[in-house]
Amino acid sequence: MYCIIVVIVNKMDGGPEQLSCLYFFHIILSPENSAGQLFYFFCEANNQCSATQDCAELQGGRPPPPHSPMVPCYTLDLEFLVCSEPLDLKGNETAREELGYGCTKYGGQKYEDVQFTSVNCTVLLGIECYGPRTFHRSGFPCIKYSGHYFLTTLLYSVLLGFLGMDRFCLGHTGTAVGKLLTLGGMGIWWIVDIVLLVTGNLTPDDGSNWVPYA
């Protein structure tokens, strides 16, 4: 098996020994894979580098032997990983731009309204793979749950909505008191809130999502 480093460089005035790396990746060739197999190992570096760097150093460990069943750690399914909770940036968009990950808002009843981020994942002990065992995995939604169930809230709204029970449960205490004192706005507010719930316009006050039923 052969390991080839492909380096895209900017040549500096000091000569060929002074190379400024832009990107590099590696290809592993074997007799059964004469065309080469490109692993998704992509790095950026601003420091000086050499085109003779070792493949093992670049990928964080020695490559597996031929016909090895081991796969790159970053390709493992979530069941083999322990991932942290999304980082709460508390609405700081500047920090999200600088870090490249984190949540500035939570919730969203539609897919296009949900923000996604990367989190830090570590391979479980006893799981064999090659490459870095800790890495960032993208595609995690910025959502949180606080015990609110849609069906339960809808039942409260239909059966006890004239007492403001639905709004009390969702944390809208101020409007819930007004709904209670007016007996559901003489029935009108009662019906309006049922419509708002069904259409996704009445949600928990803390910005959390409905807890999905198993």
Side-chain angles (χ1 to χ4, degrees), residues 28 30-32 53 64 69-70 84 89 95 98-99 107 109 123 128 134 142 160 166 185 196 199 207:
I28 293 182
S30 66
E32 294 78 20
Q53 284 178 286
M70 287 196 299
S84 61
L89 298 177
E98 292 177 351
L99 293 173
Q109 302 305 314
V123 180
E128 294 293 335
T134 299
C142 294
L160 299 172
D166 46 359
L196 291 176
T199 57

Side-chain angles (χ1 to χ4, degrees), residues 121-148:
C121 294
T122 302
V123 180
L124 292 171
L125 293 175
I127 302 299
E128 294 293 335
C129 61
Y130 76 92
R133 297 182 66 85
T134 299
F135 48 86
H136 272 84
R137 172 70 64 86
S138 61
F140 284 77
C142 294
I143 58 177
K144 57 184 177 180
Y145 304 107
S146 56
H148 296 291

Side-chain angles (χ1 to χ4, degrees), residues 62-134:
R62 297 199 63 78
H67 313 298
S68 171
M70 287 196 299
V71 298
C73 294
Y74 64 85
T75 64
L76 291 173
D77 292 334
L78 289 177
E79 59 186 303
F80 304 114
L81 306 173
V82 176
C83 297
S84 61
E85 292 294 323
L87 177 64
D88 187 0
L89 298 177
K90 303 184 184 303
N92 192 337
E93 290 288 351
T94 303
R96 179 177 169 88
E97 292 178 3
E98 292 177 351
L99 293 173
Y101 60 89
C103 298
T104 56
K105 69 182 185 71
Y106 283 84
Q109 302 305 314
K110 298 179 180 179
Y111 180 85
E112 55 269 22
D113 296 334
V114 177
Q115 191 177 73
F116 289 83
T117 186
S118 300
V119 300
N120 198 48
C121 294
T122 302
V123 180
L124 292 171
L125 293 175
I127 302 299
E128 294 293 335
C129 61
Y130 76 92
R133 297 182 66 85
T134 299

Side-chain angles (χ1 to χ4, degrees), residues 137-173:
R137 172 70 64 86
S138 61
F140 284 77
C142 294
I143 58 177
K144 57 184 177 180
Y145 304 107
S146 56
H148 296 291
Y149 292 86
F150 174 76
L151 184 57
T152 304
T153 306
L154 182 60
L155 289 175
Y156 280 143
S157 187
V158 172
L159 301 177
L160 299 172
F162 65 96
L163 298 176
M165 186 64 67
D166 46 359
R167 287 185 172 264
F168 275 117
C169 290
L170 293 177
H172 300 282
T173 307

